[in-house]
Amino acid sequence: MIYSLLRRDWIGRIRLALTLFGLPYTVCTPGARPAISCSYSHNFRTSQTLGPISTSFCNLYTTGVQTMPSSSAPHVKSRCPQYPGSKINRFLVPDDKVGWSQNWPQYKPVSYTDPLVEKKPVWADPEIGSFSPKFNTVDGAVDRTSFEGSYKMEKQKPLNPRGRTGVTGRGLLGRWGPNHAADPIVTRWKVDAKGGKTLHSVSKRPVLQFVSIKRKDCGEWAVPGGMVDAGEQVSITLQREFSEEALNSLVITPSEKAKISDRITKLFNPQVYKGYVDDPRNTDNAWMETVAVNFHDDSGNSVSELPLQAGDDAGEVQWVDVDSSFPLYASHSHFLELVAKERKAHW
């Protein structure tokens, strides 16, 4: 009891001091989710399906005029303190300084492009100055248009349409400007032993399940999507990425690939989302955009019967219950929320 009282006393004094100086501070609170986070580290039990989880995180509090990113702020994950896959710390951008319209002479972003990108693989652009890309249009086989509309340029480089990120250059992304991806959201209904839809105990709505992969690069669970190759149709990318990451199609025969493609093509697939992705790899000059499509196996006898096998960029693959408490990579939780609302399912 004495320790608890003393702890509250010194925490209170620290809060007061930080408040007087207008500085942000953090307090660890059980059951709270982070206002800003780049990655989550969870040890899931391997099983046929995964349900929602609950975890304790540090809740972010702020004081003063310049606040740290909050859950309702624009592109929160795009401003995570440490750039993924590196030791690079971003120049921290408060919520009120994200927009380019905000005058901020003190803004000194860190320049970073991953060494792999600098080696000029086929999927990456050269440095600005060594080539002359045509931005805001289809540049040969590369689509440099943005779903956000026409983006601005500064010093011959495109500017992130959602604002500052604290990093310039391309980071882990290959293209200057928009980097287009496709995210196939494959779903089915969760059923009981008799084959009836399982209703959630609280919402009383039917529970959806979706195919989720655990990314090898960051350990987060995600929708099995990927980049659209130059000149490739999005519909082809959607099938290719799901097959490679969730069904390990890279090691199966052509006839088996044809059967998988046929099953996926027959599913009703409405477009769920098209636009900017709040991705931790984003920079001031390069960012992720995607087309998310829902392939729903309503009867449960199509894709549901295919054996899931992690491949390509996936460490694990599982059917997972769609639930708001399940943390996912980038903007993928938002995509699942849209699917759940469209199908009047539990969220």
Side-chain angles (χ1 to χ4, degrees), residues 27-46:
V27 178
C28 216
T29 308
R33 296 181 68 177
I36 180 168
S37 174
C38 295
S39 62
Y40 303 86
S41 180
H42 301 288
N43 293 318
F44 291 116
R45 179 167 49 86
T46 302

Side-chain angles (χ1 to χ4, degrees), residues 3 9 18 99 120 128 139 174 178 191 237 241 250 265 296 321:
Y3 170 77
D9 179 64
L18 291 173
K120 302 178 182 179
I128 295 293
D139 182 17
V191 297
T237 307
E241 287 297 330
L250 294 176
T265 302
H296 181 63
D321 291 353

Side-chain angles (χ1 to χ4, degrees), residues 24-84:
Y25 58 88
T26 60
V27 178
C28 216
T29 308
R33 296 181 68 177
I36 180 168
S37 174
C38 295
S39 62
Y40 303 86
S41 180
H42 301 288
N43 293 318
F44 291 116
R45 179 167 49 86
T46 302
S47 60
Q48 184 178 1
T49 60
L50 294 174
I53 62 170
S54 59
T55 316
S56 294
F57 289 107
C58 280
N59 193 22
L60 184 64
Y61 291 84
T62 57
T63 61
V65 176
Q66 292 191 4
T67 59
M68 293 288 287
S70 64
S71 58
S72 61
H75 68 178
V76 173
K77 294 184 180 181
S78 300
R79 291 180 286 149
C80 60
Q82 187 172 27
Y83 192 86

Side-chain angles (χ1 to χ4, degrees), residues 115-270:
L116 176 61
V117 178
E118 291 182 331
K119 290 180 180 179
K120 302 178 182 179
V122 293
W123 47 266
D125 290 332
E127 284 296 316
I128 295 293
S130 62
F131 83 129
S132 301
K134 298 177 181 178
F135 291 110
N136 284 303
T137 188
V138 177
D139 182 17
V142 180
D143 185 359
R144 301 189 189 276
T145 64
S146 169
F147 297 135
E148 301 286 300
S150 181
Y151 47 88
K152 296 180 180 179
M153 304 289 297
E154 184 177 273
K155 297 179 181 179
Q156 296 184 305
K157 296 178 181 179
L159 289 180
N160 189 314
R162 295 294 179 95
R164 299 180 175 97
T165 67
V167 171
T168 58
R170 284 172 290 163
L172 288 165
L173 300 178
R175 304 293 181 192
W176 294 98
N179 288 252
H180 292 286
D183 291 307
I185 304 171
V186 177
T187 57
R188 69 181 183 186
W189 295 110
K190 185 176 185 178
V191 297
D192 56 28
K194 296 181 179 180
K197 293 180 182 178
T198 300
L199 302 183
H200 190 266
S201 59
V202 177
S203 68
K204 306 302 180 184
R205 293 195 171 200
V207 177
L208 277 172
Q209 294 183 320
F210 77 105
V211 174
S212 181
I213 63 163
K214 191 173 185 180
R215 294 175 62 107
K216 290 181 179 177
D217 56 358
C218 64
E220 292 186 68
W221 290 86
V223 170
M227 307 303 295
V228 178
D229 292 339
E232 185 178 46
Q233 293 182 354
V234 172
S235 59
I236 300 299
T237 307
L238 289 164
Q239 290 193 34
R240 173 174 57 79
E241 287 297 330
F242 178 75
S243 298
E244 289 179 0
E245 295 193 358
L247 301 174
N248 202 15
S249 63
L250 294 176
V251 298
I252 64 177
T253 65
S255 61
E256 290 175 316
K257 284 184 181 181
K259 291 179 181 179
I260 291 173
S261 177
D262 183 60
R263 289 199 182 201
I264 296 175
T265 302
K266 289 180 179 179
L267 296 179
F268 179 57
N269 51 3

Side-chain angles (χ1 to χ4, degrees), residues 9 19 30 50 53 58 96 107 113 128 161 171 197 213 217 228 230 243 247 282 302 304 308 316 327 339 341 346:
D9 179 64
T19 301
L50 294 174
I53 62 170
C58 280
D96 61 338
Y107 183 53
T113 297
I128 295 293
K197 293 180 182 178
I213 63 163
D217 56 358
V228 178
S243 298
L247 301 174
N282 290 349
S302 182
S304 299
L308 298 181
E316 298 178 38
V339 171
K341 289 183 177 179
H346 166 71

